[in-house]
Amino acid sequence: MELSRRGDYAVRAMLDVATRPADRMTVTKEIALRQDIPPIFLTKIVSSLSQAGLLRTYRGVAGGVALGKPADQISLLQIIEAVDGPIYINRCLIRRGECDRDRTCPAHELWVQAQGELLGLLANKSLADLARRAQELQQAPMAGFAA
Amino acid sequence: MELSRRGDYAVRAMLDVATRPADRMTVTKEIALRQDIPPIFLTKIVSSLSQAGLLRTYRGVAGGVALGKPADQISLLQIIEAVDGPIYINRCLIRRGECDRDRTCPAHELWVQAQGELLGLLANKSLADLARRAQELQQAPMAGFAA
DNA sequence: GGCAAATAGGATATAATTTATCCTTTTATG
DNA sequence: CATAAAAGGATAAATTATATCCTATTTGCC
């Protein structure tokens, strides 16, 4: 019932990229430093994000990583599923027929509902939303306590 | 991001008990049979549920298990947390200060929200709700397709 | 009392998954 | 051609989840 480290790292890494000046690339090692993520592990995560089209990567001396598409077209769900595969909150939701009780199990219905709400939330939150919010938080860390 | 087997078993076992005649006890081994749960593993789960007060257990020849309180006073959240401990959907929510970015991390806010919705859903669904629904499903398995 | 059937609980095994690193290769730049 | 970056395969290390075994305790019944 807990997000994997990989998923958490992926979100933070994407947010890191999204909040840098868009015209300059950054480099995986620097993201790792800033976000306190094991560097070699992050290269794997970046690779998954790249394969999903969420990051674009460039090899070589002047290489690095940049967003693969506009931040408002990247959902949190996409990020997490890129590194962890499809989310399901119970085994019986992996695919229809996984559990032979589907039709008569009231718990099954509950999992369907809970999963729907969770995925909905993550699908409707974009990286752009988070980046915007990051800026607010940085400019007014004490928001709510202003004189 | 997935419910443990233990949690799933716990919910199904509680539902099993709740849908039996209230005046007669059942026995762990039979629950395991009906619900297709590894019997010895289930004894551990029953033990946790008992310690949480959700089941009452009786030793000896005529022993068995029964609900520890009325089904409408048992939430799905209670059941799951009884066997899996407190739910948190990301490490940074284990306790305040777990992550030193709390104050400035926009992702943190998202996790708080997502967790709130998930826990709310589970806290508001009672075992009685599930039991009622179980009865409906059994009486009219093709509900929606009736002539 | 003694047997049988049930839960209680500690210890431990087994398996699966997650997290992380290492090493080599490929690509690009200056 | 040296350097800096990502790509990817193999593998190690750690953690967690799942499950079983064994012994003890409780209870009912003959």
Side-chain angles (χ1 to χ4, degrees):
Chain A
M1 224 61 175
E2 186 184 332
L3 181 64
S4 70
R5 236 71 276 289
R6 226 176 11 247
D8 179 66
Y9 292 160
V11 170
R12 300 211 329 255
M14 288 296 288
L15 185 57
D16 185 287
V17 174
T19 52
R20 314 251 104 208
D23 52 332
R24 297 193 44 205
M25 251 186 298
T26 188
V27 126
T28 302
K29 202 184 294 181
E30 291 176 3
I31 302 175
L33 262 176
R34 281 191 297 264
Q35 298 295 330
D36 199 26
I37 299 172
I40 306 186
F41 194 30
L42 182 56
T43 65
K44 302 299 184 180
I45 293 166
V46 162
S47 173
S48 297
L49 292 168
S50 164
Q51 282 175 14
L54 305 182
L55 285 181
R56 187 169 305 185
T57 60
Y58 303 88
R59 294 180 165 192
V61 165
V65 310
L67 290 188
K69 41 182 163 176
D72 61 358
Q73 288 171 37
I74 298 177
S75 73
L76 273 278
L77 182 61
Q78 287 176 305
I79 296 173
I80 293 172
E81 294 204 323
V83 297
D84 277 344
I87 292 178
Y88 43 90
I89 65 170
N90 197 356
R91 281 243 204 304
C92 61
L93 302 180
I94 294 181
R95 55 179 173 279
R96 263 181 52 109
E98 178 71 21
C99 168
D100 51 359
R101 290 182 176 76
D102 282 17
R103 291 256 161 243
T104 54
C105 176
H108 184 84
E109 298 181 333
L110 175 64
W111 305 133
V112 168
Q113 185 192 354
Q115 165 141 329
E117 294 196 9
L118 181 61
L119 296 203
L121 188 67
L122 295 178
N124 286 321
K125 187 69 90 175
S126 77
L127 185 58
D129 294 333
L130 283 206
R132 192 159 32 242
R133 183 70 183 133
Q135 211 168 21
E136 286 174 21
L137 287 173
Q138 206 168 23
Q139 287 177 357
M142 289 301 173
F145 295 100
Chain B
M1 226 59 178
E2 187 184 334
L3 181 63
S4 71
R5 236 72 275 290
R6 229 180 5 251
D8 179 66
Y9 292 159
V11 169
R12 301 212 327 256
M14 289 296 289
L15 186 57
D16 185 286
V17 175
T19 52
R20 313 251 104 207
D23 52 332
R24 296 194 44 207
M25 249 185 300
T26 188
V27 126
T28 303
K29 203 184 292 183
E30 291 175 4
I31 303 175
L33 262 177
R34 282 191 297 265
Q35 298 296 329
D36 200 26
I37 299 173
I40 306 186
F41 194 31
L42 182 57
T43 65
K44 302 299 183 179
I45 292 165
V46 163
S47 173
S48 298
L49 292 168
S50 165
Q51 282 175 14
L54 305 182
L55 283 181
R56 188 169 305 185
T57 60
Y58 303 88
R59 293 179 166 194
V61 163
V65 311
L67 289 190
K69 41 182 165 176
D72 62 358
Q73 286 169 38
I74 297 177
S75 74
L76 273 278
L77 183 60
Q78 287 176 304
I79 297 173
I80 293 173
E81 295 204 324
V83 297
D84 277 345
I87 293 179
Y88 42 90
I89 65 170
N90 197 356
R91 280 242 204 307
C92 61
L93 302 180
I94 294 180
R95 57 179 171 279
R96 261 183 52 109
E98 178 71 21
C99 167
D100 52 359
R101 289 182 176 78
D102 281 17
R103 290 256 161 243
T104 54
C105 176
H108 184 84
E109 298 181 333
L110 175 63
W111 306 133
V112 168
Q113 185 192 355
Q115 165 141 327
E117 295 197 9
L118 181 60
L119 296 203
L121 187 67
L122 295 177
N124 286 322
K125 187 68 92 175
S126 78
L127 186 57
D129 294 334
L130 283 205
R132 191 157 34 240
R133 183 69 183 133
Q135 212 168 20
E136 286 173 21
L137 286 172
Q138 205 168 23
Q139 287 178 357
M142 290 300 175
F145 295 99

